[in-house]
């Protein structure tokens, strides 16, 4: 494709997030957190899905549907193994109706083995988890259109079930699929309206440091492009910035981050490669610098990868807020 044929870049969108845990002020402050995100100019507010220290995402979305006015609400992302797709479709359709058509339904294969084990829920092999998710996506696509579903899969069987209530959005609410490995990205390329690109993780659920570089991220986008074919231009690409550090010395902050990694912090990262200061500063997943420098970095990420939907980690919402007006509308 020549540059003349390339579509114009998508406009930036910004997603805040919250868990409703004690650090954020607990479940009772959770609604106020989403209302604050709306005030700060975020386009959406997303809730993760863990059995640990957070609110239940489906119940919380029900509350946000009536407590907010304009901000889109969704999940980033539900663990498919926690819910049957027929039940999830009804919950999702109900939330879309109650919110006036503001739902973005994010779903993934589920990756935190410890939570499945603690909850007594079977944690299947990666291949089975991905196969189950593929079946769920097919079922959700039908039911969320308000259509009758007849599906005979290896893991799910649906017999003449009609999706109800009919969602507000047509033809159905957008489906977000999150993942980092090649098989998950290929699956997302087939079904998703929005793909959330995460760095790959090891078998224990730790994120691989090698996956946060610009080069690795661009390679993941290429895999999506190849798998999606003609669909690619219709897919919105999302990523989540995990750390925002406003500073007037980006290089010094990057050196501090590398030193922390050498000392085993944060513990949920496997240091499988040694990164340079330049690689840290160019990573889409880290934002160090003045607000103008962070805005320029995000523009650079979009130019190199076509990713345009910027997610912000819970607890980082206010730290990032001054960047939004610098990029809004671009």
């Amino acid at each position: 494709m020549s540059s003349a044929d390339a579509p114009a870049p998508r406009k930036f969108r910004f997603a805040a997030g919250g868990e409703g845990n004690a650090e954020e002020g607990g479940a009772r402050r959770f609604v106020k957190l989403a209302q604050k995100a709306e005030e700060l100019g975020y386009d959406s507010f997303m809730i993760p899905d863990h059995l640990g220290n957070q609110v239940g995402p489906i119940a919380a979305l029900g509350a946000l549907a009536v407590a907010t006015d304009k901000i889109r609400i969704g999940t980033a992302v539900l663990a498919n193994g926690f819910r049957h797709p027929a039940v999830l479709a009804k919950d999702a359709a109900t939330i879309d109706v109650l919110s006036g058509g503001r739902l973005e339904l994010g779903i993934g294969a589920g990756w935190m083995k410890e939570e499945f084990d603690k909850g007594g829920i079977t944690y299947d092999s990666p291949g089975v988890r991905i196969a189950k998710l593929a079946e769920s996506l097919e079922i959700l696509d039908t039911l969320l259109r308000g259509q009758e579903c007849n599906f005979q899969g290896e893991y799910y069987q649906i017999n003449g079930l009609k999706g109800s209530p009919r969602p507000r959005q047509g033809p159905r609410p957008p489906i977000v699929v999150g993942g980092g490995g090649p098989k998950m990205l290929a699956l997302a390329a087939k079904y998703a309206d929005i793909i959330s690109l995460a760095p790959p993780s090891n078998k224990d659920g730790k994120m691989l440091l090698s996956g946060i570089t610009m080069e690795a991220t661009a390679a993941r986008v290429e895999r999506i492009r190849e798998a999606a074919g003609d669909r690619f231009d219709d897919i919105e690409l999302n990523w989540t910035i995990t750390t925002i550090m406003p500073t007037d010395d980006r290089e010094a902050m990057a050196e501090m981050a590398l030193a922390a990694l050498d000392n085993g912090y944060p513990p949920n990262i496997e240091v499988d490669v040694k990164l340079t200061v330049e690689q840290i500063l160019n990573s889409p997943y880290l934002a160090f610098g003045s607000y103008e420098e962070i805005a320029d970095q995000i523009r650079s990420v979009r130019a190199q990868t076509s990713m345009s939907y910027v997610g912000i980690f819970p607890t980082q919402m206010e730290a990032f807020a001054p960047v939004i007006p610098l990029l809004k509308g671009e």
Side-chain angles (χ1 to χ4, degrees), residues 39-106:
E39 284 174 31
L40 291 172
Y42 284 92
D43 298 283
S44 61
F45 187 86
M46 312 303 282
I47 310 171
D49 186 22
H50 297 293
L51 295 183
N53 181 21
Q54 69 154 85
V55 294
I58 302 297
L61 284 175
L64 298 189
V66 294
T68 58
D69 297 316
K70 296 178 182 174
I71 197 167
R72 294 180 67 77
I73 56 176
T75 50
V77 293
L78 297 177
N80 182 61
F82 291 170
R83 294 168 196 83
H84 192 286
V87 179
L88 175 58
K90 181 167 285 291
D91 284 340
T94 302
I95 290 162
D96 195 59
V97 172
L98 293 178
S99 67
R102 292 185 283 132
L103 176 68
E104 294 179 7
L105 180 64

Side-chain angles (χ1 to χ4, degrees), residues 12 292 294-303 326-327 330:
F12 289 117
E292 289 77 11
I294 291 172
D296 282 340
Q297 179 188 351
I298 290 169
R299 292 185 185 103
S300 176
V301 169
R302 184 177 66 177
L326 302 178
L327 294 169
E330 288 190 21

Side-chain angles (χ1 to χ4, degrees), residues 222-250:
E222 271 314 300
R223 279 198 284 272
I224 293 170
R225 188 189 299 275
E226 290 167 12
D230 292 342
R231 284 193 75 234
F232 183 76
D233 291 340
D234 297 326
I235 298 171
E236 186 175 32
L237 299 180
N238 159 260
W239 83 104
T240 297
I241 300 174
T242 58
T243 304
I244 294 141
M245 295 296 294
T247 176
D248 56 5
D249 192 338
R250 299 180 76 226

Side-chain angles (χ1 to χ4, degrees), residues 259-283:
L261 287 164
D262 285 341
N263 289 319
Y265 184 83
N268 62 338
I269 291 180
E270 179 184 324
V271 182
D272 59 329
V273 292
K274 281 279 191 182
L275 298 185
T276 64
V277 165
E278 185 178 8
Q279 286 175 311
I280 288 285
L281 292 177
N282 288 336
S283 170

